[in-house]
Amino acid sequence: MDCWLWAVRLMKTRPDAADACRGGHVRINGRPAKASTIVVPGDEVRIRIAATTRVVEVTVTIRKRVSAAVAATCLIDRTPKPPPEALVPVARRDRGTGRPTKRERRELDRFQQQA
């Protein structure tokens, strides 16, 4: 399992993938997965990375890390889209206006505390 997560580039390193399995962040077909669990085509893998849960289906099992283009063919991403209210608009400043003043900073802080 940890080899596959690393090979298809869902995790940056193999130890990170093993830690995720040990921590209970990886499930295969609804069951917790160990790092040594073998995946087969057709398995549904749920992995919690940061604050999001990725849902992927295994199409090809690989053990060696390959290019991103080849790795994309080894899985089908079935992660649901985030709800629109989860996407918070980012405040933008006009180009060339410089850093916010102390007053503008306080207004921004008050606005962020309300949200």
Side-chain angles (χ1 to χ4, degrees), residues 6-42:
W6 168 73
V8 296
R9 298 170 179 261
L10 287 175
M11 299 298 280
K12 196 166 193 161
T13 64
R14 231 181 116 189
D16 286 346
D19 289 342
C21 291
R22 240 180 275 117
H25 301 290
V26 181
R27 298 179 82 75
I28 298 176
N29 299 325
R31 290 183 301 246
K34 291 183 177 179
S36 61
T37 305
I38 297 172
V39 293
V40 294

Side-chain angles (χ1 to χ4, degrees), residues 29-79:
N29 299 325
R31 290 183 301 246
K34 291 183 177 179
S36 61
T37 305
I38 297 172
V39 293
V40 294
D43 282 348
E44 179 191 72
V45 177
R46 290 180 178 268
I47 179 166
R48 192 168 56 229
I49 302 170
T52 61
T53 300
R54 300 272 313 262
V55 180
V56 296
E57 181 183 333
V58 179
T59 56
V60 177
T61 56
I62 56 174
R63 294 184 54 85
K64 300 233 182 220
R65 195 160 170 106
V66 292
S67 68
V70 175
T73 63
C74 296
L75 58 93
I76 300 171
D77 194 358
R78 301 203 187 280
T79 306

